[in-house]
Amino acid sequence: MKKYFSDIHALPSSQLGDEKDLTIDDENTTLALNAVDSKRSYENLFQLANCYVKQLRYKRALETINEVLEIKPNDLKALRVRAIRHLTTLQVAKALDDFTYLDNNGFSEDLSYQLGLSYFYLSRYEEALVYFEKCFTLSTDEMKVACIYWHTIAAWRCGRSPSLLKEFKIGMDIGHHVGYDAALKLYTGVLSEDVYLMLLAEEPSDLEYSIFSYGYYAYLEKEKRAAEKDSVLNDILSRDSFWISFAYIAAYNDKFYSGRGR
């Protein structure tokens, strides 16, 4: 796996929760701070925000990107950064506002997946379904399996039929989305629960583990196995070396914010 973040980085307790934020700058952040001290410009502040993102200091990145927006209001590039950092700190209503503004004002990237996740994190599952369905129609197989995963869980939670699940096929070109693929194999009966648990126990990556486990948690929830699902939720949160996955954040949201964001 490539290196996604700095060795000096924040933990979920400060970014998703309310514990004190990390205050240690890595080398790149120190250089970016010096550049801002020398010249408080759009470019230098943007670079500093990116350095904070690399340290997973998303709250500091949000503060800095808001300074960027003071210099260049409604800048779509800056709003895109702010939107995803609102989402990954579970300030979901603010994320939804930003993503909606971007979607309505000519942003070039399709945002249906991010909008789907925003509605999912707000427990507005029927609205989430609409955006995951839109994303599915626009996506490659790799993203299709992610869309089906979140769409299925959202459908279960609002009492709807998981209509995209029938679109899952063995042999789809899933790329690195092995956790999503495995969950869909459980949901469609291709994998037994025992085999799924064996794969879960053997999974070394906390990124994939969160996706495997959140998928299993949702399955147990659908099956009304409350005591088991609560244990799985706690287990997900104990594997926090890659807490920035959407599945880990969903688990944190369910545990601490009743699945509705801050």
Side-chain angles (χ1 to χ4, degrees), residues 227-247:
E228 292 170 86
K229 81 177 178 68
D230 290 345
S231 176
V232 170
L233 189 65
N234 291 329
D235 182 52
I236 295 168
L237 298 179
S238 73
R239 293 275 296 260
D240 64 357
S241 73
F242 205 102
W243 64 264
I244 59 176
S245 83
F246 288 129

mmCIF file with all atom_site columns, all heavy atoms in Angstrom, residues 227-247:
data_model
loop_
_atom_site.group_PDB
_atom_site.id
_atom_site.type_symbol
_atom_site.label_atom_id
_atom_site.label_alt_id
_atom_site.label_comp_id
_atom_site.label_asym_id
_atom_site.label_entity_id
_atom_site.label_seq_id
_atom_site.pdbx_PDB_ins_code
_atom_site.Cartn_x
_atom_site.Cartn_y
_atom_site.Cartn_z
_atom_site.occupancy
_atom_site.B_iso_or_equiv
_atom_site.pdbx_formal_charge
_atom_site.auth_seq_id
_atom_site.auth_comp_id
_atom_site.auth_asym_id
_atom_site.auth_atom_id
_atom_site.pdbx_PDB_model_num
ATOM 1   N N   . ALA A 1 227 ? -26.639 -8.021  19.879 1.00 0.00 ? 227 ALA A N   1
ATOM 2   C CA  . ALA A 1 227 ? -25.464 -8.174  20.743 1.00 0.00 ? 227 ALA A CA  1
ATOM 3   C C   . ALA A 1 227 ? -24.213 -8.405  19.906 1.00 0.00 ? 227 ALA A C   1
ATOM 4   O O   . ALA A 1 227 ? -23.149 -7.846  20.191 1.00 0.00 ? 227 ALA A O   1
ATOM 5   C CB  . ALA A 1 227 ? -25.676 -9.323  21.717 1.00 0.00 ? 227 ALA A CB  1
ATOM 6   N N   . GLU A 1 228 ? -24.326 -9.200  18.864 1.00 0.00 ? 228 GLU A N   1
ATOM 7   C CA  . GLU A 1 228 ? -23.182 -9.479  18.002 1.00 0.00 ? 228 GLU A CA  1
ATOM 8   C C   . GLU A 1 228 ? -22.741 -8.231  17.237 1.00 0.00 ? 228 GLU A C   1
ATOM 9   O O   . GLU A 1 228 ? -21.549 -7.950  17.108 1.00 0.00 ? 228 GLU A O   1
ATOM 10  C CB  . GLU A 1 228 ? -23.527 -10.588 17.016 1.00 0.00 ? 228 GLU A CB  1
ATOM 11  C CG  . GLU A 1 228 ? -23.735 -11.946 17.663 1.00 0.00 ? 228 GLU A CG  1
ATOM 12  C CD  . GLU A 1 228 ? -24.298 -12.944 16.676 1.00 0.00 ? 228 GLU A CD  1
ATOM 13  O OE1 . GLU A 1 228 ? -23.509 -13.567 15.947 1.00 0.00 ? 228 GLU A OE1 1
ATOM 14  O OE2 . GLU A 1 228 ? -25.536 -13.087 16.624 1.00 0.00 ? 228 GLU A OE2 1
ATOM 15  N N   . LYS A 1 229 ? -23.702 -7.468  16.737 1.00 0.00 ? 229 LYS A N   1
ATOM 16  C CA  . LYS A 1 229 ? -23.329 -6.294  15.944 1.00 0.00 ? 229 LYS A CA  1
ATOM 17  C C   . LYS A 1 229 ? -22.640 -5.250  16.803 1.00 0.00 ? 229 LYS A C   1
ATOM 18  O O   . LYS A 1 229 ? -21.713 -4.581  16.339 1.00 0.00 ? 229 LYS A O   1
ATOM 19  C CB  . LYS A 1 229 ? -24.539 -5.706  15.214 1.00 0.00 ? 229 LYS A CB  1
ATOM 20  C CG  . LYS A 1 229 ? -25.456 -4.819  16.006 1.00 0.00 ? 229 LYS A CG  1
ATOM 21  C CD  . LYS A 1 229 ? -26.563 -4.244  15.140 1.00 0.00 ? 229 LYS A CD  1
ATOM 22  C CE  . LYS A 1 229 ? -27.519 -3.377  15.950 1.00 0.00 ? 229 LYS A CE  1
ATOM 23  N NZ  . LYS A 1 229 ? -26.923 -2.143  16.453 1.00 0.00 ? 229 LYS A NZ  1
ATOM 24  N N   . ASP A 1 230 ? -23.066 -5.093  18.044 1.00 0.00 ? 230 ASP A N   1
ATOM 25  C CA  . ASP A 1 230 ? -22.421 -4.122  18.932 1.00 0.00 ? 230 ASP A CA  1
ATOM 26  C C   . ASP A 1 230 ? -20.967 -4.500  19.195 1.00 0.00 ? 230 ASP A C   1
ATOM 27  O O   . ASP A 1 230 ? -20.085 -3.634  19.247 1.00 0.00 ? 230 ASP A O   1
ATOM 28  C CB  . ASP A 1 230 ? -23.179 -4.020  20.253 1.00 0.00 ? 230 ASP A CB  1
ATOM 29  C CG  . ASP A 1 230 ? -24.536 -3.353  20.090 1.00 0.00 ? 230 ASP A CG  1
ATOM 30  O OD1 . ASP A 1 230 ? -24.771 -2.730  19.029 1.00 0.00 ? 230 ASP A OD1 1
ATOM 31  O OD2 . ASP A 1 230 ? -25.372 -3.465  21.005 1.00 0.00 ? 230 ASP A OD2 1
ATOM 32  N N   . SER A 1 231 ? -20.702 -5.780  19.319 1.00 0.00 ? 231 SER A N   1
ATOM 33  C CA  . SER A 1 231 ? -19.331 -6.255  19.520 1.00 0.00 ? 231 SER A CA  1
ATOM 34  C C   . SER A 1 231 ? -18.479 -5.977  18.286 1.00 0.00 ? 231 SER A C   1
ATOM 35  O O   . SER A 1 231 ? -17.320 -5.554  18.397 1.00 0.00 ? 231 SER A O   1
ATOM 36  C CB  . SER A 1 231 ? -19.347 -7.760  19.828 1.00 0.00 ? 231 SER A CB  1
ATOM 37  O OG  . SER A 1 231 ? -18.029 -8.260  19.927 1.00 0.00 ? 231 SER A OG  1
ATOM 38  N N   . VAL A 1 232 ? -19.054 -6.184  17.111 1.00 0.00 ? 232 VAL A N   1
ATOM 39  C CA  . VAL A 1 232 ? -18.332 -5.920  15.862 1.00 0.00 ? 232 VAL A CA  1
ATOM 40  C C   . VAL A 1 232 ? -18.019 -4.436  15.732 1.00 0.00 ? 232 VAL A C   1
ATOM 41  O O   . VAL A 1 232 ? -16.922 -4.044  15.315 1.00 0.00 ? 232 VAL A O   1
ATOM 42  C CB  . VAL A 1 232 ? -19.139 -6.434  14.650 1.00 0.00 ? 232 VAL A CB  1
ATOM 43  C CG1 . VAL A 1 232 ? -18.520 -5.957  13.340 1.00 0.00 ? 232 VAL A CG1 1
ATOM 44  C CG2 . VAL A 1 232 ? -19.201 -7.955  14.671 1.00 0.00 ? 232 VAL A CG2 1
ATOM 45  N N   . LEU A 1 233 ? -18.979 -3.577  16.075 1.00 0.00 ? 233 LEU A N   1
ATOM 46  C CA  . LEU A 1 233 ? -18.758 -2.137  15.987 1.00 0.00 ? 233 LEU A CA  1
ATOM 47  C C   . LEU A 1 233 ? -17.577 -1.710  16.855 1.00 0.00 ? 233 LEU A C   1
ATOM 48  O O   . LEU A 1 233 ? -16.704 -0.947  16.416 1.00 0.00 ? 233 LEU A O   1
ATOM 49  C CB  . LEU A 1 233 ? -20.025 -1.390  16.405 1.00 0.00 ? 233 LEU A CB  1
ATOM 50  C CG  . LEU A 1 233 ? -20.030 0.116   16.173 1.00 0.00 ? 233 LEU A CG  1
ATOM 51  C CD1 . LEU A 1 233 ? -19.977 0.435   14.680 1.00 0.00 ? 233 LEU A CD1 1
ATOM 52  C CD2 . LEU A 1 233 ? -21.259 0.748   16.801 1.00 0.00 ? 233 LEU A CD2 1
ATOM 53  N N   . ASN A 1 234 ? -17.525 -2.211  18.073 1.00 0.00 ? 234 ASN A N   1
ATOM 54  C CA  . ASN A 1 234 ? -16.405 -1.882  18.958 1.00 0.00 ? 234 ASN A CA  1
ATOM 55  C C   . ASN A 1 234 ? -15.089 -2.409  18.417 1.00 0.00 ? 234 ASN A C   1
ATOM 56  O O   . ASN A 1 234 ? -14.038 -1.761  18.548 1.00 0.00 ? 234 ASN A O   1
ATOM 57  C CB  . ASN A 1 234 ? -16.666 -2.442  20.354 1.00 0.00 ? 234 ASN A CB  1
ATOM 58  C CG  . ASN A 1 234 ? -17.795 -1.727  21.067 1.00 0.00 ? 234 ASN A CG  1
ATOM 59  O OD1 . ASN A 1 234 ? -18.022 -0.535  20.848 1.00 0.00 ? 234 ASN A OD1 1
ATOM 60  N ND2 . ASN A 1 234 ? -18.512 -2.436  21.921 1.00 0.00 ? 234 ASN A ND2 1
ATOM 61  N N   . ASP A 1 235 ? -15.144 -3.573  17.793 1.00 0.00 ? 235 ASP A N   1
ATOM 62  C CA  . ASP A 1 235 ? -13.938 -4.157  17.209 1.00 0.00 ? 235 ASP A CA  1
ATOM 63  C C   . ASP A 1 235 ? -13.405 -3.305  16.069 1.00 0.00 ? 235 ASP A C   1
ATOM 64  O O   . ASP A 1 235 ? -12.198 -3.085  15.952 1.00 0.00 ? 235 ASP A O   1
ATOM 65  C CB  . ASP A 1 235 ? -14.253 -5.577  16.719 1.00 0.00 ? 235 ASP A CB  1
ATOM 66  C CG  . ASP A 1 235 ? -13.044 -6.268  16.142 1.00 0.00 ? 235 ASP A CG  1
ATOM 67  O OD1 . ASP A 1 235 ? -11.995 -6.312  16.822 1.00 0.00 ? 235 ASP A OD1 1
ATOM 68  O OD2 . ASP A 1 235 ? -13.124 -6.750  14.999 1.00 0.00 ? 235 ASP A OD2 1
ATOM 69  N N   . ILE A 1 236 ? -14.299 -2.782  15.217 1.00 0.00 ? 236 ILE A N   1
ATOM 70  C CA  . ILE A 1 236 ? -13.866 -1.901  14.122 1.00 0.00 ? 236 ILE A CA  1
ATOM 71  C C   . ILE A 1 236 ? -13.095 -0.719  14.688 1.00 0.00 ? 236 ILE A C   1
ATOM 72  O O   . ILE A 1 236 ? -12.009 -0.363  14.209 1.00 0.00 ? 236 ILE A O   1
ATOM 73  C CB  . ILE A 1 236 ? -15.074 -1.380  13.323 1.00 0.00 ? 236 ILE A CB  1
ATOM 74  C CG1 . ILE A 1 236 ? -15.801 -2.523  12.612 1.00 0.00 ? 236 ILE A CG1 1
ATOM 75  C CG2 . ILE A 1 236 ? -14.630 -0.335  12.288 1.00 0.00 ? 236 ILE A CG2 1
ATOM 76  C CD1 . ILE A 1 236 ? -17.160 -2.115  12.044 1.00 0.00 ? 236 ILE A CD1 1
ATOM 77  N N   . LEU A 1 237 ? -13.630 -0.098  15.718 1.00 0.00 ? 237 LEU A N   1
ATOM 78  C CA  . LEU A 1 237 ? -13.038 1.122   16.264 1.00 0.00 ? 237 LEU A CA  1
ATOM 79  C C   . LEU A 1 237 ? -11.720 0.861   16.977 1.00 0.00 ? 237 LEU A C   1
ATOM 80  O O   . LEU A 1 237 ? -10.914 1.785   17.154 1.00 0.00 ? 237 LEU A O   1
ATOM 81  C CB  . LEU A 1 237 ? -14.035 1.813   17.201 1.00 0.00 ? 237 LEU A CB  1
ATOM 82  C CG  . LEU A 1 237 ? -15.331 2.256   16.524 1.00 0.00 ? 237 LEU A CG  1
ATOM 83  C CD1 . LEU A 1 237 ? -16.271 2.899   17.527 1.00 0.00 ? 237 LEU A CD1 1
ATOM 84  C CD2 . LEU A 1 237 ? -15.061 3.219   15.370 1.00 0.00 ? 237 LEU A CD2 1
ATOM 85  N N   . SER A 1 238 ? -11.473 -0.391  17.340 1.00 0.00 ? 238 SER A N   1
ATOM 86  C CA  . SER A 1 238 ? -10.188 -0.732  17.967 1.00 0.00 ? 238 SER A CA  1
ATOM 87  C C   . SER A 1 238 ? -9.062  -0.848  16.940 1.00 0.00 ? 238 SER A C   1
ATOM 88  O O   . SER A 1 238 ? -7.886  -0.794  17.297 1.00 0.00 ? 238 SER A O   1
ATOM 89  C CB  . SER A 1 238 ? -10.304 -2.050  18.743 1.00 0.00 ? 238 SER A CB  1
ATOM 90  O OG  . SER A 1 238 ? -10.386 -3.164  17.859 1.00 0.00 ? 238 SER A OG  1
ATOM 91  N N   . ARG A 1 239 ? -9.412  -0.988  15.659 1.00 0.00 ? 239 ARG A N   1
ATOM 92  C CA  . ARG A 1 239 ? -8.421  -1.132  14.584 1.00 0.00 ? 239 ARG A CA  1
ATOM 93  C C   . ARG A 1 239 ? -8.303  0.215   13.864 1.00 0.00 ? 239 ARG A C   1
ATOM 94  O O   . ARG A 1 239 ? -8.853  0.411   12.783 1.00 0.00 ? 239 ARG A O   1
ATOM 95  C CB  . ARG A 1 239 ? -8.850  -2.235  13.615 1.00 0.00 ? 239 ARG A CB  1
ATOM 96  C CG  . ARG A 1 239 ? -8.853  -3.649  14.180 1.00 0.00 ? 239 ARG A CG  1
ATOM 97  C CD  . ARG A 1 239 ? -7.480  -4.295  14.104 1.00 0.00 ? 239 ARG A CD  1
ATOM 98  N NE  . ARG A 1 239 ? -7.019  -4.471  12.741 1.00 0.00 ? 239 ARG A NE  1
ATOM 99  C CZ  . ARG A 1 239 ? -7.083  -5.620  12.056 1.00 0.00 ? 239 ARG A CZ  1
ATOM 100 N NH1 . ARG A 1 239 ? -7.599  -6.686  12.609 1.00 0.00 ? 239 ARG A NH1 1
ATOM 101 N NH2 . ARG A 1 239 ? -6.620  -5.686  10.818 1.00 0.00 ? 239 ARG A NH2 1
ATOM 102 N N   . ASP A 1 240 ? -7.606  1.173   14.487 1.00 0.00 ? 240 ASP A N   1
ATOM 103 C CA  . ASP A 1 240 ? -7.684  2.561   14.039 1.00 0.00 ? 240 ASP A CA  1
ATOM 104 C C   . ASP A 1 240 ? -6.431  3.100   13.366 1.00 0.00 ? 240 ASP A C   1
ATOM 105 O O   . ASP A 1 240 ? -6.281  4.311   13.220 1.00 0.00 ? 240 ASP A O   1
ATOM 106 C CB  . ASP A 1 240 ? -8.057  3.467   15.214 1.00 0.00 ? 240 ASP A CB  1
ATOM 107 C CG  . ASP A 1 240 ? -6.988  3.491   16.310 1.00 0.00 ? 240 ASP A CG  1
ATOM 108 O OD1 . ASP A 1 240 ? -5.985  2.760   16.186 1.00 0.00 ? 240 ASP A OD1 1
ATOM 109 O OD2 . ASP A 1 240 ? -7.172  4.248   17.289 1.00 0.00 ? 240 ASP A OD2 1
ATOM 110 N N   . SER A 1 241 ? -5.543  2.227   12.897 1.00 0.00 ? 241 SER A N   1
ATOM 111 C CA  . SER A 1 241 ? -4.326  2.741   12.263 1.00 0.00 ? 241 SER A CA  1
ATOM 112 C C   . SER A 1 241 ? -4.623  3.348   10.885 1.00 0.00 ? 241 SER A C   1
ATOM 113 O O   . SER A 1 241 ? -3.813  4.100   10.357 1.00 0.00 ? 241 SER A O   1
ATOM 114 C CB  . SER A 1 241 ? -3.271  1.642   12.126 1.00 0.00 ? 241 SER A CB  1
ATOM 115 O OG  . SER A 1 241 ? -3.619  0.713   11.118 1.00 0.00 ? 241 SER A OG  1
ATOM 116 N N   . PHE A 1 242 ? -5.787  3.015   10.310 1.00 0.00 ? 242 PHE A N   1
ATOM 117 C CA  . PHE A 1 242 ? -6.226  3.627   9.052  1.00 0.00 ? 242 PHE A CA  1
ATOM 118 C C   . PHE A 1 242 ? -7.656  4.112   9.248  1.00 0.00 ? 242 PHE A C   1
ATOM 119 O O   . PHE A 1 242 ? -8.593  3.677   8.563  1.00 0.00 ? 242 PHE A O   1
ATOM 120 C CB  . PHE A 1 242 ? -6.143  2.632   7.891  1.00 0.00 ? 242 PHE A CB  1
ATOM 121 C CG  . PHE A 1 242 ? -6.004  3.280   6.539  1.00 0.00 ? 242 PHE A CG  1
ATOM 122 C CD1 . PHE A 1 242 ? -4.780  3.333   5.894  1.00 0.00 ? 242 PHE A CD1 1
ATOM 123 C CD2 . PHE A 1 242 ? -7.106  3.852   5.916  1.00 0.00 ? 242 PHE A CD2 1
ATOM 124 C CE1 . PHE A 1 242 ? -4.657  3.944   4.645  1.00 0.00 ? 242 PHE A CE1 1
ATOM 125 C CE2 . PHE A 1 242 ? -6.995  4.454   4.665  1.00 0.00 ? 242 PHE A CE2 1
ATOM 126 C CZ  . PHE A 1 242 ? -5.775  4.504   4.032  1.00 0.00 ? 242 PHE A CZ  1
ATOM 127 N N   . TRP A 1 243 ? -7.820  5.049   10.175 1.00 0.00 ? 243 TRP A N   1
ATOM 128 C CA  . TRP A 1 243 ? -9.163  5.477   10.560 1.00 0.00 ? 243 TRP A CA  1
ATOM 129 C C   . TRP A 1 243 ? -9.841  6.354   9.511  1.00 0.00 ? 243 TRP A C   1
ATOM 130 O O   . TRP A 1 243 ? -11.029 6.644   9.628  1.00 0.00 ? 243 TRP A O   1
ATOM 131 C CB  . TRP A 1 243 ? -9.120  6.220   11.899 1.00 0.00 ? 243 TRP A CB  1
ATOM 132 C CG  . TRP A 1 243 ? -8.347  7.515   11.895 1.00 0.00 ? 243 TRP A CG  1
ATOM 133 C CD1 . TRP A 1 243 ? -7.059  7.694   12.268 1.00 0.00 ? 243 TRP A CD1 1
ATOM 134 C CD2 . TRP A 1 243 ? -8.836  8.812   11.514 1.00 0.00 ? 243 TRP A CD2 1
ATOM 135 N NE1 . TRP A 1 243 ? -6.698  9.016   12.144 1.00 0.00 ? 243 TRP A NE1 1
ATOM 136 C CE2 . TRP A 1 243 ? -7.771  9.725   11.682 1.00 0.00 ? 243 TRP A CE2 1
ATOM 137 C CE3 . TRP A 1 243 ? -10.065 9.290   11.048 1.00 0.00 ? 243 TRP A CE3 1
ATOM 138 C CZ2 . TRP A 1 243 ? -7.900  11.087  11.391 1.00 0.00 ? 243 TRP A CZ2 1
ATOM 139 C CZ3 . TRP A 1 243 ? -10.196 10.645  10.754 1.00 0.00 ? 243 TRP A CZ3 1
ATOM 140 C CH2 . TRP A 1 243 ? -9.117  11.530  10.941 1.00 0.00 ? 243 TRP A CH2 1
ATOM 141 N N   . ILE A 1 244 ? -9.129  6.755   8.475  1.00 0.00 ? 244 ILE A N   1
ATOM 142 C CA  . ILE A 1 244 ? -9.689  7.674   7.493  1.00 0.00 ? 244 ILE A CA  1
ATOM 143 C C   . ILE A 1 244 ? -10.559 6.979   6.446  1.00 0.00 ? 244 ILE A C   1
ATOM 144 O O   . ILE A 1 244 ? -11.073 7.634   5.530  1.00 0.00 ? 244 ILE A O   1
ATOM 145 C CB  . ILE A 1 244 ? -8.589  8.494   6.797  1.00 0.00 ? 244 ILE A CB  1
ATOM 146 C CG1 . ILE A 1 244 ? -7.584  7.574   6.097  1.00 0.00 ? 244 ILE A CG1 1
ATOM 147 C CG2 . ILE A 1 244 ? -7.887  9.388   7.787  1.00 0.00 ? 244 ILE A CG2 1
ATOM 148 C CD1 . ILE A 1 244 ? -6.524  8.330   5.299  1.00 0.00 ? 244 ILE A CD1 1
ATOM 149 N N   . SER A 1 245 ? -10.766 5.677   6.555  1.00 0.00 ? 245 SER A N   1
ATOM 150 C CA  . SER A 1 245 ? -11.645 5.008   5.596  1.00 0.00 ? 245 SER A CA  1
ATOM 151 C C   . SER A 1 245 ? -13.095 5.419   5.860  1.00 0.00 ? 245 SER A C   1
ATOM 152 O O   . SER A 1 245 ? -13.488 5.690   7.003  1.00 0.00 ? 245 SER A O   1
ATOM 153 C CB  . SER A 1 245 ? -11.517 3.487   5.699  1.00 0.00 ? 245 SER A CB  1
ATOM 154 O OG  . SER A 1 245 ? -12.316 2.971   6.741  1.00 0.00 ? 245 SER A OG  1
ATOM 155 N N   . PHE A 1 246 ? -13.901 5.463   4.802  1.00 0.00 ? 246 PHE A N   1
ATOM 156 C CA  . PHE A 1 246 ? -15.307 5.831   4.964  1.00 0.00 ? 246 PHE A CA  1
ATOM 157 C C   . PHE A 1 246 ? -16.043 4.844   5.864  1.00 0.00 ? 246 PHE A C   1
ATOM 158 O O   . PHE A 1 246 ? -16.983 5.224   6.576  1.00 0.00 ? 246 PHE A O   1
ATOM 159 C CB  . PHE A 1 246 ? -15.990 5.920   3.603  1.00 0.00 ? 246 PHE A CB  1
ATOM 160 C CG  . PHE A 1 246 ? -15.584 7.120   2.795  1.00 0.00 ? 246 PHE A CG  1
ATOM 161 C CD1 . PHE A 1 246 ? -15.166 6.986   1.476  1.00 0.00 ? 246 PHE A CD1 1
ATOM 162 C CD2 . PHE A 1 246 ? -15.619 8.394   3.347  1.00 0.00 ? 246 PHE A CD2 1
ATOM 163 C CE1 . PHE A 1 246 ? -14.805 8.102   0.728  1.00 0.00 ? 246 PHE A CE1 1
ATOM 164 C CE2 . PHE A 1 246 ? -15.253 9.513   2.603  1.00 0.00 ? 246 PHE A CE2 1
ATOM 165 C CZ  . PHE A 1 246 ? -14.845 9.360   1.291  1.00 0.00 ? 246 PHE A CZ  1
ATOM 166 N N   . ALA A 1 247 ? -15.637 3.573   5.851  1.00 0.00 ? 247 ALA A N   1
ATOM 167 C CA  . ALA A 1 247 ? -16.296 2.576   6.692  1.00 0.00 ? 247 ALA A CA  1
ATOM 168 C C   . ALA A 1 247 ? -15.973 2.808   8.162  1.00 0.00 ? 247 ALA A C   1
ATOM 169 O O   . ALA A 1 247 ? -16.854 2.693   9.024  1.00 0.00 ? 247 ALA A O   1
ATOM 170 C CB  . ALA A 1 247 ? -15.877 1.174   6.257  1.00 0.00 ? 247 ALA A CB  1
#
